[in-house]
Amino acid sequence: MDSSSSSSSSRDKKSKDNDRHEAKEANSTAQNFVDFTEAEEDLVSRMHRLVGNRWELIAGRIPGRTAEEVEMFWSKKHQEK
């Protein structure tokens, strides 16, 4: 294999890796916009009054939720309109 085809092959691999990385980022961002149930919303509100912006602590009380999801939910719900 000559150096030009090696470079081309390397670029193609990097391009595919970048595409996969971008898709993964988009998927993880989309997951952050999951709807919360009314019970989860209530718990987030009550916990936030008690502990403030301690998202890890709040998320620990809601099975299956991450700190990022809770923070994103809170930010989206309380953004300036």
Side-chain angles (χ1 to χ4, degrees):
M1 184 175 347
D2 66 11
S3 64
S4 65
S5 63
S6 175
S7 295
S8 175
S9 175
S10 177
R11 277 192 303 259
D12 290 345
K13 182 179 182 332
K14 286 180 183 176
S15 177
K16 287 178 185 176
D17 288 346
N18 285 341
D19 291 346
R20 273 190 231 116
H21 181 70
E22 288 173 10
K24 184 182 268 188
E25 283 181 6
N27 289 340
S28 66
T29 301
Q31 290 172 351
N32 288 333
F33 294 105
V34 175
D35 289 329
F36 277 54
T37 66
E38 193 172 318
E40 288 174 324
E41 288 185 32
D42 182 54
L43 183 56
V44 169
S45 294
R46 289 186 291 126
M47 289 291 296
H48 189 269
R49 278 194 302 269
L50 292 171
V51 301
N53 294 343
R54 297 178 64 192
W55 308 119
E56 293 86 8
L57 188 63
I58 296 170
R61 305 297 265 164
I62 308 172
R65 297 293 186 185
T66 65
E68 291 81 17
E69 286 176 320
V70 173
E71 182 177 8
M72 190 68 98
F73 162 77
W74 184 263
S75 296
K76 190 173 179 184
K77 185 168 176 123
H78 292 92
Q79 70 187 2
E80 304 251 351
K81 293 179 181 177

